[in-house]
Amino acid sequence: MSLKKVSQRRVQLIAITCLFVASKYEEIYYPTLKDFEWLSNGTISGRDIVKAESIVLAALGFDLASV
């Protein structure tokens, strides 16, 4: 969020997406996309999460390792 301006109404989408990416990176059996849709009480679709995932990863330069 420090690299790109995010509107207040999109903060939940970015938070859910970052949690989704982090769980895929850290967990062997990560939660499904449906689980993250449920977590947002149905306000965010799976399609939106997948689109935001590519934006988040592009903003990070696909570099998920810490230095």
Side-chain angles (χ1 to χ4, degrees), residues 25-26 60 62-67:
Y25 184 76
E26 281 292 319
L60 294 172
F62 293 88
D63 183 16
L64 301 179
S66 62
V67 178

Side-chain angles (χ1 to χ4, degrees), residues 11-59:
V11 170
Q12 183 182 18
L13 172 62
I14 297 301
I16 292 286
T17 302
C18 289
L19 187 59
F20 185 53
V21 171
S23 68
K24 286 169 51 173
Y25 184 76
E26 281 292 319
E27 301 296 329
I28 294 171
Y29 302 108
Y30 57 89
T32 65
L33 194 55
K34 291 284 185 197
D35 293 329
F36 286 98
E37 287 181 64
W38 177 83
L39 189 62
S40 71
N41 290 328
T43 59
I44 299 172
S45 71
R47 176 179 279 173
D48 289 337
I49 295 171
V50 171
K51 285 180 185 177
E53 181 181 16
S54 65
I55 293 168
V56 167
L57 291 174

